[in-house]
Amino acid sequence: MANFILRKAEPKDVSDILRLIKELAKFEEMEEQVILTEKELLEDGFGDHPFYHCFVAEVPKDQQSLEGYTVIGFAMYYFTYDPWIGKLLYLEDFYVMTEFRGIGIGSHILKLLSQTAVKTRCSSMHFIVAENNKQSIEFYKRRGASDLSFEEGWRLFAIEKEDLLKITTK
Amino acid sequence: MNFKIRAAKQDDCKDISRMIMELAVYEKMPEQVKISYKELERDGFSPNPFFECLVAEVPEEHKSEEGYTVVGYALFFYTYSTWKGRSVYMEDLYVMPEFRGKGIGKGLMSKVAQVGKEKQCVRLQLSVLDWNTPSLEFYVAKGAQDLTASEGWHFLRFDGEALDKLANEAPKD
């Protein structure tokens, strides 16, 4: 049984965080969409205006992964705002390396996140999941999550840079 | 009709709160509005704001039937995509029905895009209810892609009891 700790990410973790982001994107079959660099992660998370917060899961050296990693999971979140209920905690990414699953790391990360949400006076924790990711949807629903796309009909939209620039110049 | 798009001030929160309720009524969920202008003042105008807001204002001679000159708003904040970096999320965009069709919605949204661009955001995201055809058409015409349809993304939420229960089971420090 692996020992692990959960702690706040530090600037030195950005290389591991990017590696885990790419692993998760690969699982979501969208690896080529990751264009973020370590430099941006560093500036955006640990600069003057942090755009995100992050926890990492770490195992001792003697339990490192096959390729020698000790940082084996992470959760990235930030605060958003719902004009109906106020502050929210938005969970952007949440991932544990496959060889470290099934020992409670994911559950502990989720509990830590919800504790953070309650401590910071957030009414709710929101996140998105791809509908074909049945395993994750079940994981969250078992713990009481509601699917707002299904129940209320919310659809997520994005306007990418090219079209954004068109909007600003019109 | 002339209109001005400007950053909201603390004093605007009563108008913003009024319009938030109007939008919630349109979205058929008014009973879900739990906060008032006081929370908006605290959360948007303190040293560490949780959102930014733009308002659309018309001159006195064009005020609404009930006498309002603040006739539209856009509420947004910054988010982070682990794939692409800094993003803007437009949480609410609303123009009072009697002031529609004059470019105010477009003006508000352009300003949000501009503010995002200044902060080097690469994307603007928003969500729309699946039955809200006028809004869906408005956004798609500007290049918005429905990621729920094309990539299958669903919004999930933990709140109230479910959130408390999860938090109570958290490991002690």
Side-chain angles (χ1 to χ4, degrees):
Chain A
M1 178 72 74
N3 285 331
F4 63 90
I5 57 152
L6 297 181
R7 58 171 176 79
K8 275 201 175 133
E10 293 158 38
K12 65 175 177 145
D13 295 316
V14 292
S15 160
D16 279 302
I17 295 169
L18 188 57
R19 168 179 57 84
L20 294 168
I21 285 170
K22 287 181 175 166
E23 273 186 39
L24 175 53
K26 194 168 175 187
F27 169 71
E28 288 168 337
E29 292 165 13
M30 297 200 243
E31 197 183 0
E32 70 294 342
Q33 292 214 35
V34 182
I35 57 173
L36 201 58
T37 63
E38 276 181 37
K39 184 161 174 275
E40 280 156 347
L41 264 181
L42 191 62
E43 197 184 306
D44 297 339
F46 302 94
D48 294 325
H49 175 188
F51 279 79
Y52 69 85
H53 304 277
C54 193
F55 291 122
V56 294
E58 196 169 32
V59 293
K61 255 201 110 60
D62 56 342
Q63 278 161 54
Q64 65 195 215
S65 77
L66 283 178
E67 301 107 329
Y69 299 120
T70 54
V71 173
I72 49 80
F74 82 111
M76 181 188 277
Y77 66 96
Y78 38 81
F79 296 100
T80 64
Y81 203 75
D82 181 320
W84 297 355
I85 51 178
K87 274 171 71 176
L88 305 176
L89 189 147
Y90 188 87
L91 177 57
E92 174 63 33
D93 264 16
F94 173 25
Y95 177 75
V96 176
M97 287 171 71
T98 36
E99 64 188 281
F100 293 91
R101 297 212 190 137
I103 51 175
I105 298 180
S107 287
H108 270 82
I109 292 178
L110 198 60
K111 288 170 192 173
L112 183 56
L113 286 165
S114 41
Q115 198 183 48
T116 304
V118 171
K119 252 196 248 180
T120 51
R121 220 194 350 101
C122 293
S123 325
S124 187
M125 180 160 71
H126 282 204
F127 49 99
I128 55 173
V129 190
E131 71 189 351
N132 61 15
N133 188 353
K134 305 272 183 250
Q135 211 179 5
S136 294
I137 294 184
E138 286 313 306
F139 174 88
Y140 294 121
K141 279 184 146 169
R142 265 202 304 273
R143 285 158 180 78
S146 333
D147 182 340
L148 301 185
S149 290
F150 183 71
E151 289 171 30
E152 295 175 8
W154 291 102
R155 310 187 74 77
L156 178 67
F157 280 76
I159 300 180
E160 301 295 339
K161 195 165 184 189
E162 207 183 284
D163 291 297
L164 262 189
L165 288 172
K166 281 190 202 155
I167 294 172
T168 60
T169 52
K170 272 215 195 106
Chain B
M1 178 188 293
N2 284 334
F3 62 88
K4 188 170 94 167
I5 309 283
R6 59 167 177 80
K9 295 172 290 195
Q10 191 159 318
D11 283 342
D12 293 316
C13 288
K14 288 200 172 111
D15 276 303
I16 298 168
S17 186
R18 166 182 59 83
M19 291 188 284
I20 285 171
M21 185 51 94
E22 287 175 21
L23 179 52
V25 167
Y26 172 75
E27 287 170 339
K28 304 176 190 169
M29 295 191 255
E31 70 292 345
Q32 293 211 36
V33 181
K34 309 282 186 216
I35 62 171
S36 72
Y37 73 91
K38 292 202 176 95
E39 281 88 359
L40 289 177
E41 282 175 358
R42 179 195 62 194
D43 299 335
F45 298 90
S46 58
N48 181 20
F50 285 87
F51 66 85
E52 290 187 28
C53 194
L54 299 169
V55 294
E57 198 169 27
V58 294
E60 260 302 304
E61 63 264 30
H62 289 130
K63 65 192 187 199
S64 79
E65 268 178 32
E66 299 108 329
Y68 300 119
T69 54
V70 174
V71 303
Y73 77 103
L75 192 149
F76 61 99
F77 41 78
Y78 301 101
T79 63
Y80 204 71
S81 158
T82 45
W83 296 355
K84 304 191 182 181
R86 301 179 187 188
S87 303
V88 168
Y89 190 90
M90 191 167 69
E91 172 66 32
D92 272 10
L93 174 65
Y94 176 76
V95 177
M96 289 169 67
E98 63 188 282
F99 293 92
R100 291 195 194 150
K102 304 178 198 310
I104 296 180
K106 191 170 155 197
L108 281 163
M109 193 163 162
S110 298
K111 195 75 189 151
V112 173
Q114 197 177 61
V115 172
K117 193 177 145 205
E118 279 160 22
K119 282 262 182 359
Q120 292 151 69
C121 294
V122 298
R123 174 196 268 198
L124 188 151
Q125 287 190 303
L126 50 115
S127 43
V128 188
L129 287 161
D130 56 10
W131 54 258
N132 189 353
T133 319
S135 295
L136 289 167
E137 286 172 357
F138 176 85
Y139 295 121
V140 167
K142 287 170 171 48
Q145 295 146 51
D146 182 339
L147 300 186
T148 298
S150 60
E151 294 175 10
W153 292 105
H154 279 223
F155 265 120
L156 270 72
R157 170 184 68 195
F158 278 102
D159 66 354
E161 225 177 271
L163 184 64
D164 285 338
K165 188 161 178 283
L166 203 48
N168 284 335
E169 295 167 16
K172 309 294 172 210
D173 292 323

